[in-house]
Amino acid sequence: MSDVTTPPAVLRLDAVSKSFGSNRAVRGVSLSIQPGQVIGLIGENGAGKSTLLKILSGNYRHDEGTIAVNGREVQFRGPADALRAGIGVVHQEQSLFTNLTIAENIEVNTPIGRGGVNRLGLYNWRRLYADAAQALDLIGSHLNPKTRVSDLSFVDRQMVEIARAIRVSAASHTTPLVILDEPTAILERTETAILEREISKLRDIGSVIFVSHRLDEVMRICDRVVVMRDGELIADRSVDDVTEEELFRLMVGRETHAAVRNRRSIEPATKPVISIQDLTRAGSYTDVSIDAYPGRVLAILGTSGSGREAVARAIFGAEGFDSGSVSIAGYSGRPSIKKAVALGVGYVPAERKTEGMVGEMPADQNITLTHPGSAAIGPFELPRRRLSLARLWFEKLDIRPREPEHMLQDFSGGNQQKVVLAKWLNSSDLKALVLDHPLRGLDPGAAETVNAQIRSVCDDGTAIILIPDTIDEALDIADDIVVMRDGRISGVFDLGHDNPATLDLLERML
Amino acid sequence: MVHNALSKQSAVGIDTTAIRIRESVIERRARFRGLAEPLSLLMALAVLIVVFSLLNERFLTTSNFQNVLTQSAIPLIVAVGATLVILLGSIDLSVEGVMGATGMTWILLSANSRGGVDLGPWAWVIALGVALVLGVASGLIFTALKVPSFIVTLGMWYVGLGIATMLYGTDLLPRLEDEGLKGWTSRISFGLPNSFWVALLVIGLGILVLRSTRIGRVTLAIGNSETIVRSAGLPAFRVKVAVFAIAALLSGLGGILATVQLDIGSPTVGSGVLFIVIPAVVIGGTHLGGGKGGILRTVLGVFLLTILNNGLILSGVESSYQSAVTGAILVAAIVFAAWSQRDRLRVAK
Ligand SMILES: Nc1ncnc2c1ncn2[C@@H]1O[C@H](COP(=O)(O)OP(=O)(O)OP(=O)(O)O)[C@@H](O)[C@H]1O
Ligand SMILES: [Mg+2]
C-alpha cells in the first residue's frame, strides 16, 4: 500500500494484530497515512476500531506486526510513549479531568522544564493559561481556559479533548496525528456541525483518523475511508469513488432494508399509557403536557437546552419536578423509579456506563437484573436458564460476540447498548419504554436491528417514548413527534396525518 | 436512515450566540458556587463565636484566642496531609500510630529523663525518617498490592502504636529535659503561639504543593479518575506513594510537637487527633471520593471543630456530651454538603 515517491507516511501499520484470549479483535491490519489526510475509519460494533486505536495510543500492546511513525519504527510500552511519539488521541470514552480547568487538561502532559512548568516542577499559571488559549485558538475555539471542565457542554468538552490531542502531537515537532474515536456520537446534530467544521480545518496542520457511525458525516469530512470488519481491514477507498450505500454494504455485509413504517393516527377511544400534565421544573422545563399511547412511538425533539432529557427522566421517576403530574397506567401518585418499574416502565439512559449497566457483571446477569423472567423460579435465579435466556436475546439483537458469560465492560460500546435494551425487553409486561438516545454509538446495521426490535415491542402494545439523536431517526420510526425549545413544547405532530419537513422541525427546535 | 438525503440539511446555519450566552451564565454560576461553600463555613464559624461569647465572657479574650490556636496547631498540620490523601480518593487512618512512633523515637533520642543518647537535631531526622518509612510502606502496599488504603492504614496505625509501645517498654516515663523546649509549642512569638507558626508554614507549603506542582495536580486528577490518569501517561503510582509519604511526615511532625506539648513521651500522644482531622476535612467540603476540595477549607474545618470544643468546655458542657455534639455536627455538615448534589440516580458508597 506504500507509495515510494511521497514523503514518509505519518503513520504506517504493517500486519498489526491483537487478541483478547481467543477473540482476535484486530487481525493483520496494514495502513499508511500521509500528511494532511483525514481518514475515516468505519466498521460495525465490535469490528475492532477502538482496539486498533488503543494500540496506537499505547493502551494496548499489539501481538504481531510493526508500527512506524514518520518513517521510524516504534514500540509503545505505555500511553506515555505514544504521547512522546506525537500521537494525540480522543478516546471513545470521555477522558478529561472534570474537576480541573480547561488549561490544565490541555497542558497535562507538558514535561517539566517546558512551557508552563519550570525546572523545579512548579506551575506558572499565567503561562499555562496562555499556552492553552493558544492551543484552543489553533482549532478556532474561544473558550476561557480558566473554566472548569464540569461546567462545559459536550461539544466544548470534545473541543478541549481535540485541543489536547493536537497539543500532544505538536510537541513532537513533526506532523501532528490526531485520532478521534467517535467524537460525535454523544453530540446533538447542531453541535456536530461545529465539530465537523473544526475537524476539516485540522487538515491544514496535520493528519486525522476519524471514527464515526454516521456515514454522511464521514463522507463530508474525510478524504479516504477505510472499513473494518471482524478485526480485518477490508476496504480502503477515496470518498470520491464511493457512496453511502456502498459503505453500508461493506460494513455490514448486506443491503440496508429499513422498512417504511405504516402510520395511523391515534384512535379516538384509546387511553394513553403515560400522560403528563403541565409538568414544570424550574430552570429546566415549563408546562409540558404529553400523552403516550400504546403501540405508538412518541419522539421528543429538541436541542441540548430544551429540557427533553429531564422530562424523560421525570417520567421514569429518576428526577423530581416542581409541579404538574405524571400518570402511568392510571396511577398518578408520588412518582419513583421503583413504582415506575413495578408499573411496567423501562428506561434506557443516555449515560450507559454510569446508569444503565453493571460493567463488572456478566452480560447475562445484566439482562436478568430487573426482570428475571423465565430465568427465575420464585426468588431463585437458575444460572443455566439465565444463560440460555441471555443466548436468546443475544441472537435476537445480534449481540456480538455471542458470549453472554463475559463481563459486560469487555463488550464494545454498541453491543453494551443492546444488552441494556435487552434488560427491559425481558419484561413480560412492558407497558412503556423510555429510550434516551438508544442508538448512540450503534453502527448503522445495529441501529436497524435495534429499531426493528423497538418497533416489534411497540406493535405488541408498548408505548415508546424516544429521545432520538437526529431528526431523521424521529421521522424514521416515530408515530408522534413533540418538539421542545427552551423547556416548552413548540410543536406537536401526529405523523398519521401531519407530514412535517425536516426544516419545519428544525425551526421549532432553534 | 443512513441514506436519507435530508440529513445534509442539519449541517447548515447554526446560531451559536445562544449557546455562548448559555455558557456565560454557566460560568457565572460556577464562580458563585466556588464562593458559596467557604462562605457558609465562615458564617457557621461566626455564629459559633457570637453564641459562645454571649454564653461566656472568657471566650472572647486574647489568652483564650491563643489557647485555641495552640490547640488547633497539631490537627492543622496533620490535616494538611489528610486533605491530600483524601483528594486522591483514599484515606489515611494511621495518623495516631505514626504520631506515637515518631514522638517516642524523637524523645528517646533527645535529652530526656531516662538518660540515653542526645542526638540533638539528628533526633528530628531519625524520628521523621521513621514516619517516612511508615508512610512509604502504606503507600507501596496500597499502590503495588492494590489493597484499599482504608485497610492498609488501619493496619499501619497499629504497627505505629506497636513500635511506640515497644520503645516505651516498661521503664520510667521519658520526660523532656531540655528547658528551652519545654512549653515551646504554646509560647508566644510575634503574637501567635510557636506551634501555630509551624502550622502556618505547613499550610503554606501544602497549598503551594497542591496548587502549583505536578504532585498536587496529579493528586487532584487521580481523585477524578485514575483510569484517565493512566491513559494520559501520568505517573499515578509515584504520586500516590509520595502523597502517603507526605501525609506520614506531617503526622510525624505533629507527633513530635504533641510530645513537646505534653512534656513526656507516650505511645498515645496522638489520641483523638484522627477524629478531629477527618471530620475537619469533610466539613471543609473536600469530597471523600477525591478530586474536589482544598487545604484552606480544611483549615476552616479544623477551626470550626476546635472552637466548638473550646466553647463547649468553657460553657461547662461535660466531655461526654461534647463528643456527641461534635458527631452530630459532622453528620449534619455532610448532609448539608451532599444536599445540593442530590439526584435520585446518584448513589452513595
Ligand atoms: N478489554 C477487553 N477484553 C476483552 N475483549 C475485549 C476488550 N476490549 C475489546 N474487546 C473485544 O474486542 C472486539 C473489538 O472491540 P472494539 O471495542 O475494538 O470494537 P469497536 O469497533 O470499537 O466497536 P464500537 O463501534 O461498538 O465501539 C470486541 O469483540 C470486544 O468484545
Ligand atoms: Mg469503539
Side-chain angles (χ1 to χ4, degrees), chain B residues 292-338:
Chain B
K292 277 185 195 156
I295 288 171
L296 275 179
R297 299 151 156 276
T298 299
V299 171
L300 288 181
V302 171
F303 279 137
L304 199 82
L305 288 179
T306 330
I307 289 176
L308 187 71
N309 277 332
N310 173 271
L312 289 175
I313 293 171
L314 285 186
S315 318
V317 176
E318 253 183 73
S319 68
S320 49
Y321 288 114
Q322 269 176 50
S323 44
V325 170
T326 316
I329 287 188
L330 171 66
V331 174
I334 293 170
V335 170
F336 181 73

Short mmCIF file of all heavy atoms in Angstrom, two decimals, chain B residues 292-338:
data_model
loop_
_atom_site.label_atom_id
_atom_site.label_comp_id
_atom_site.label_asym_id
_atom_site.label_seq_id
_atom_site.Cartn_x
_atom_site.Cartn_y
_atom_site.Cartn_z
N LYS B 292 -12.04 16.80 44.64
CA LYS B 292 -12.59 18.14 44.88
C LYS B 292 -12.35 18.55 46.32
O LYS B 292 -12.60 17.78 47.24
CB LYS B 292 -14.10 18.13 44.62
CG LYS B 292 -14.42 18.29 43.17
CD LYS B 292 -15.92 18.40 42.99
CE LYS B 292 -16.28 18.19 41.54
NZ LYS B 292 -17.65 17.75 41.38
N GLY B 293 -11.91 19.79 46.49
CA GLY B 293 -11.68 20.29 47.83
C GLY B 293 -10.38 21.04 47.89
O GLY B 293 -9.79 21.36 46.87
N GLY B 294 -9.92 21.33 49.10
CA GLY B 294 -8.68 22.08 49.20
C GLY B 294 -8.25 22.23 50.63
O GLY B 294 -8.96 21.84 51.56
N ILE B 295 -7.06 22.79 50.80
CA ILE B 295 -6.46 22.87 52.12
C ILE B 295 -7.07 23.99 52.96
O ILE B 295 -7.35 23.81 54.15
CB ILE B 295 -4.94 23.02 51.97
CG1 ILE B 295 -4.37 21.68 51.49
CG2 ILE B 295 -4.30 23.43 53.28
CD1 ILE B 295 -2.94 21.71 51.10
N LEU B 296 -7.32 25.14 52.34
CA LEU B 296 -7.88 26.25 53.12
C LEU B 296 -9.23 25.88 53.74
O LEU B 296 -9.55 26.27 54.85
CB LEU B 296 -8.05 27.49 52.23
CG LEU B 296 -6.79 28.36 52.12
CD1 LEU B 296 -7.05 29.54 51.20
CD2 LEU B 296 -6.34 28.85 53.50
N ARG B 297 -10.02 25.12 52.98
CA ARG B 297 -11.31 24.68 53.51
C ARG B 297 -11.11 23.80 54.73
O ARG B 297 -11.86 23.89 55.71
CB ARG B 297 -12.04 23.84 52.46
CG ARG B 297 -12.32 24.57 51.21
CD ARG B 297 -12.35 23.59 50.06
NE ARG B 297 -13.15 24.14 48.98
CZ ARG B 297 -14.45 24.05 48.92
NH1 ARG B 297 -15.11 23.39 49.84
NH2 ARG B 297 -15.11 24.60 47.95
N THR B 298 -10.11 22.92 54.65
CA THR B 298 -9.82 22.07 55.78
C THR B 298 -9.44 22.91 57.00
O THR B 298 -9.85 22.62 58.13
CB THR B 298 -8.68 21.11 55.44
OG1 THR B 298 -9.09 20.30 54.35
CG2 THR B 298 -8.32 20.23 56.61
N VAL B 299 -8.65 23.98 56.77
CA VAL B 299 -8.25 24.86 57.87
C VAL B 299 -9.49 25.41 58.57
O VAL B 299 -9.60 25.38 59.79
CB VAL B 299 -7.37 26.00 57.33
CG1 VAL B 299 -7.13 27.05 58.41
CG2 VAL B 299 -6.05 25.45 56.81
N LEU B 300 -10.46 25.85 57.76
CA LEU B 300 -11.72 26.34 58.35
C LEU B 300 -12.40 25.24 59.15
O LEU B 300 -12.91 25.49 60.24
CB LEU B 300 -12.66 26.84 57.25
CG LEU B 300 -12.30 28.15 56.57
CD1 LEU B 300 -13.35 28.52 55.52
CD2 LEU B 300 -12.20 29.27 57.60
N GLY B 301 -12.38 24.03 58.61
CA GLY B 301 -13.00 22.90 59.30
C GLY B 301 -12.35 22.64 60.64
O GLY B 301 -13.03 22.41 61.65
N VAL B 302 -11.01 22.69 60.68
CA VAL B 302 -10.30 22.46 61.95
C VAL B 302 -10.67 23.55 62.96
O VAL B 302 -10.97 23.25 64.11
CB VAL B 302 -8.76 22.44 61.73
CG1 VAL B 302 -8.03 22.42 63.07
CG2 VAL B 302 -8.36 21.24 60.90
N PHE B 303 -10.69 24.80 62.48
CA PHE B 303 -11.06 25.89 63.39
C PHE B 303 -12.47 25.69 63.94
O PHE B 303 -12.72 25.88 65.13
CB PHE B 303 -10.98 27.24 62.68
CG PHE B 303 -9.58 27.78 62.62
CD1 PHE B 303 -9.08 28.35 61.46
CD2 PHE B 303 -8.75 27.70 63.73
CE1 PHE B 303 -7.79 28.85 61.42
CE2 PHE B 303 -7.45 28.19 63.69
CZ PHE B 303 -6.98 28.76 62.53
N LEU B 304 -13.36 25.31 63.06
CA LEU B 304 -14.74 25.11 63.48
C LEU B 304 -14.81 24.10 64.63
O LEU B 304 -15.45 24.34 65.65
CB LEU B 304 -15.57 24.62 62.28
CG LEU B 304 -17.07 24.80 62.41
CD1 LEU B 304 -17.45 26.21 62.03
CD2 LEU B 304 -17.80 23.82 61.52
N LEU B 305 -14.13 22.97 64.45
CA LEU B 305 -14.20 21.92 65.47
C LEU B 305 -13.46 22.33 66.74
O LEU B 305 -13.91 22.04 67.84
CB LEU B 305 -13.63 20.62 64.92
CG LEU B 305 -14.51 19.94 63.87
CD1 LEU B 305 -13.86 18.67 63.36
CD2 LEU B 305 -15.87 19.60 64.48
N THR B 306 -12.30 23.00 66.59
CA THR B 306 -11.55 23.40 67.79
C THR B 306 -12.32 24.43 68.59
O THR B 306 -12.42 24.34 69.82
CB THR B 306 -10.18 24.00 67.42
OG1 THR B 306 -9.72 23.41 66.22
CG2 THR B 306 -9.17 23.80 68.52
N ILE B 307 -12.89 25.41 67.90
CA ILE B 307 -13.66 26.44 68.60
C ILE B 307 -14.88 25.83 69.27
O ILE B 307 -15.23 26.16 70.40
CB ILE B 307 -14.07 27.56 67.62
CG1 ILE B 307 -12.83 28.36 67.25
CG2 ILE B 307 -15.13 28.47 68.22
CD1 ILE B 307 -13.07 29.44 66.23
N LEU B 308 -15.48 24.88 68.59
CA LEU B 308 -16.64 24.19 69.17
C LEU B 308 -16.25 23.50 70.48
O LEU B 308 -16.90 23.68 71.52
CB LEU B 308 -17.16 23.17 68.16
CG LEU B 308 -18.46 22.49 68.53
CD1 LEU B 308 -19.61 23.45 68.45
CD2 LEU B 308 -18.71 21.29 67.61
N ASN B 309 -15.14 22.74 70.44
CA ASN B 309 -14.69 22.05 71.65
C ASN B 309 -14.38 23.04 72.75
O ASN B 309 -14.81 22.90 73.88
CB ASN B 309 -13.41 21.23 71.35
CG ASN B 309 -13.77 19.90 70.75
OD1 ASN B 309 -14.85 19.37 71.02
ND2 ASN B 309 -12.89 19.36 69.94
N ASN B 310 -13.60 24.05 72.37
CA ASN B 310 -13.18 25.06 73.34
C ASN B 310 -14.39 25.76 73.97
O ASN B 310 -14.49 25.90 75.19
CB ASN B 310 -12.27 26.06 72.62
CG ASN B 310 -11.91 27.25 73.49
OD1 ASN B 310 -12.63 28.23 73.50
ND2 ASN B 310 -10.81 27.14 74.22
N GLY B 311 -15.33 26.16 73.13
CA GLY B 311 -16.51 26.85 73.62
C GLY B 311 -17.35 25.97 74.52
O GLY B 311 -17.84 26.41 75.57
N LEU B 312 -17.48 24.70 74.14
CA LEU B 312 -18.28 23.78 74.96
C LEU B 312 -17.64 23.59 76.33
O LEU B 312 -18.33 23.54 77.35
CB LEU B 312 -18.45 22.44 74.25
CG LEU B 312 -19.36 22.44 73.01
CD1 LEU B 312 -19.35 21.08 72.34
CD2 LEU B 312 -20.79 22.83 73.38
N ILE B 313 -16.30 23.49 76.35
CA ILE B 313 -15.61 23.33 77.63
C ILE B 313 -15.83 24.57 78.50
O ILE B 313 -16.20 24.47 79.66
CB ILE B 313 -14.09 23.11 77.43
CG1 ILE B 313 -13.84 21.77 76.75
CG2 ILE B 313 -13.35 23.16 78.76
CD1 ILE B 313 -12.41 21.57 76.31
N LEU B 314 -15.63 25.74 77.89
CA LEU B 314 -15.80 26.98 78.65
C LEU B 314 -17.23 27.12 79.15
O LEU B 314 -17.49 27.70 80.19
CB LEU B 314 -15.44 28.20 77.78
CG LEU B 314 -13.95 28.45 77.55
CD1 LEU B 314 -13.76 29.75 76.81
CD2 LEU B 314 -13.20 28.49 78.88
N SER B 315 -18.19 26.61 78.40
CA SER B 315 -19.59 26.72 78.82
C SER B 315 -19.94 25.64 79.82
O SER B 315 -21.10 25.53 80.22
CB SER B 315 -20.51 26.62 77.61
OG SER B 315 -20.02 27.36 76.54
N GLY B 316 -18.96 24.84 80.19
CA GLY B 316 -19.19 23.84 81.23
C GLY B 316 -19.94 22.61 80.77
O GLY B 316 -20.55 21.90 81.56
N VAL B 317 -19.89 22.31 79.48
CA VAL B 317 -20.55 21.09 78.99
C VAL B 317 -19.64 19.89 79.26
O VAL B 317 -18.44 19.96 79.07
CB VAL B 317 -20.84 21.20 77.48
CG1 VAL B 317 -21.43 19.91 76.95
CG2 VAL B 317 -21.78 22.36 77.22
N GLU B 318 -20.23 18.82 79.73
CA GLU B 318 -19.44 17.63 80.05
C GLU B 318 -18.80 17.04 78.79
O GLU B 318 -19.36 17.13 77.70
CB GLU B 318 -20.36 16.57 80.65
CG GLU B 318 -20.18 16.40 82.13
CD GLU B 318 -21.10 15.29 82.60
OE1 GLU B 318 -20.79 14.12 82.30
OE2 GLU B 318 -22.14 15.61 83.22
N SER B 319 -17.65 16.42 78.98
CA SER B 319 -16.91 15.95 77.79
C SER B 319 -17.66 14.83 77.08
O SER B 319 -17.52 14.67 75.86
CB SER B 319 -15.51 15.50 78.18
OG SER B 319 -15.58 14.33 78.96
N SER B 320 -18.47 14.07 77.79
CA SER B 320 -19.21 13.01 77.12
C SER B 320 -20.24 13.60 76.15
O SER B 320 -20.45 13.08 75.06
CB SER B 320 -19.91 12.11 78.14
OG SER B 320 -20.61 12.91 79.06
N TYR B 321 -20.85 14.72 76.55
CA TYR B 321 -21.78 15.38 75.64
C TYR B 321 -21.05 15.99 74.45
O TYR B 321 -21.55 16.03 73.34
CB TYR B 321 -22.55 16.49 76.36
CG TYR B 321 -23.57 15.95 77.32
CD1 TYR B 321 -23.45 16.16 78.68
CD2 TYR B 321 -24.66 15.23 76.84
CE1 TYR B 321 -24.39 15.66 79.57
CE2 TYR B 321 -25.61 14.74 77.72
CZ TYR B 321 -25.46 14.96 79.09
OH TYR B 321 -26.39 14.46 79.95
N GLN B 322 -19.80 16.48 74.75
CA GLN B 322 -19.05 17.13 73.70
C GLN B 322 -18.87 16.26 72.47
O GLN B 322 -19.07 16.70 71.34
CB GLN B 322 -17.65 17.47 74.20
CG GLN B 322 -17.55 18.83 74.81
CD GLN B 322 -16.16 19.00 75.36
OE1 GLN B 322 -15.20 18.74 74.66
NE2 GLN B 322 -16.07 19.40 76.61
N SER B 323 -18.49 15.00 72.71
CA SER B 323 -18.25 14.16 71.54
C SER B 323 -19.54 13.89 70.79
O SER B 323 -19.57 13.83 69.56
CB SER B 323 -17.53 12.86 71.92
OG SER B 323 -18.12 12.32 73.05
N ALA B 324 -20.65 13.78 71.54
CA ALA B 324 -21.94 13.59 70.88
C ALA B 324 -22.27 14.79 70.00
O ALA B 324 -22.71 14.65 68.86
CB ALA B 324 -23.03 13.38 71.92
N VAL B 325 -22.02 16.00 70.54
CA VAL B 325 -22.32 17.21 69.78
C VAL B 325 -21.44 17.27 68.52
O VAL B 325 -21.92 17.53 67.41
CB VAL B 325 -22.10 18.47 70.65
CG1 VAL B 325 -22.18 19.73 69.80
CG2 VAL B 325 -23.14 18.52 71.76
N THR B 326 -20.13 17.00 68.69
CA THR B 326 -19.22 17.02 67.54
C THR B 326 -19.69 16.05 66.47
O THR B 326 -19.73 16.37 65.28
CB THR B 326 -17.79 16.65 67.98
OG1 THR B 326 -17.49 17.34 69.18
CG2 THR B 326 -16.79 17.04 66.91
N GLY B 327 -20.07 14.85 66.91
CA GLY B 327 -20.52 13.82 65.96
C GLY B 327 -21.77 14.28 65.21
O GLY B 327 -21.85 14.16 63.99
N ALA B 328 -22.71 14.85 65.96
CA ALA B 328 -23.96 15.29 65.33
C ALA B 328 -23.68 16.38 64.31
O ALA B 328 -24.24 16.38 63.21
CB ALA B 328 -24.92 15.80 66.41
N ILE B 329 -22.76 17.30 64.66
CA ILE B 329 -22.44 18.38 63.73
C ILE B 329 -21.80 17.83 62.47
O ILE B 329 -22.09 18.27 61.35
CB ILE B 329 -21.50 19.40 64.41
CG1 ILE B 329 -22.34 20.20 65.41
CG2 ILE B 329 -20.85 20.32 63.38
CD1 ILE B 329 -21.63 21.36 66.02
N LEU B 330 -20.95 16.82 62.62
CA LEU B 330 -20.31 16.20 61.47
C LEU B 330 -21.36 15.64 60.50
O LEU B 330 -21.35 15.93 59.30
CB LEU B 330 -19.37 15.08 61.92
CG LEU B 330 -18.81 14.24 60.80
CD1 LEU B 330 -17.90 15.06 59.93
CD2 LEU B 330 -18.08 13.03 61.35
N VAL B 331 -22.29 14.87 61.07
CA VAL B 331 -23.32 14.27 60.21
C VAL B 331 -24.14 15.35 59.52
O VAL B 331 -24.40 15.31 58.31
CB VAL B 331 -24.23 13.33 61.04
CG1 VAL B 331 -25.37 12.83 60.19
CG2 VAL B 331 -23.41 12.16 61.57
N ALA B 332 -24.52 16.38 60.31
CA ALA B 332 -25.32 17.46 59.74
C ALA B 332 -24.56 18.15 58.61
O ALA B 332 -25.13 18.45 57.55
CB ALA B 332 -25.67 18.47 60.82
N ALA B 333 -23.26 18.37 58.83
CA ALA B 333 -22.46 19.06 57.81
C ALA B 333 -22.39 18.24 56.53
O ALA B 333 -22.47 18.78 55.42
CB ALA B 333 -21.05 19.32 58.33
N ILE B 334 -22.28 16.92 56.68
CA ILE B 334 -22.17 16.07 55.49
C ILE B 334 -23.49 16.06 54.72
O ILE B 334 -23.52 16.17 53.50
CB ILE B 334 -21.73 14.64 55.88
CG1 ILE B 334 -20.30 14.70 56.40
CG2 ILE B 334 -21.82 13.72 54.70
CD1 ILE B 334 -19.82 13.43 57.03
N VAL B 335 -24.59 15.97 55.47
CA VAL B 335 -25.90 16.01 54.81
C VAL B 335 -26.05 17.33 54.07
O VAL B 335 -26.45 17.38 52.91
CB VAL B 335 -27.03 15.86 55.86
CG1 VAL B 335 -28.38 16.14 55.21
CG2 VAL B 335 -27.01 14.47 56.46
N PHE B 336 -25.65 18.40 54.73
CA PHE B 336 -25.75 19.73 54.14
C PHE B 336 -24.92 19.81 52.86
O PHE B 336 -25.37 20.31 51.83
CB PHE B 336 -25.26 20.77 55.15
CG PHE B 336 -25.34 22.18 54.66
CD1 PHE B 336 -26.56 22.83 54.55
CD2 PHE B 336 -24.19 22.86 54.29
CE1 PHE B 336 -26.64 24.12 54.10
CE2 PHE B 336 -24.26 24.16 53.83
CZ PHE B 336 -25.49 24.79 53.73
N ALA B 337 -23.70 19.27 52.92
CA ALA B 337 -22.81 19.34 51.77
C ALA B 337 -23.34 18.52 50.61
O ALA B 337 -23.22 18.90 49.45
CB ALA B 337 -21.42 18.85 52.16
N ALA B 338 -23.97 17.38 50.92
CA ALA B 338 -24.43 16.48 49.86
C ALA B 338 -25.77 16.94 49.28
O ALA B 338 -26.14 16.56 48.18
CB ALA B 338 -24.56 15.06 50.40
#
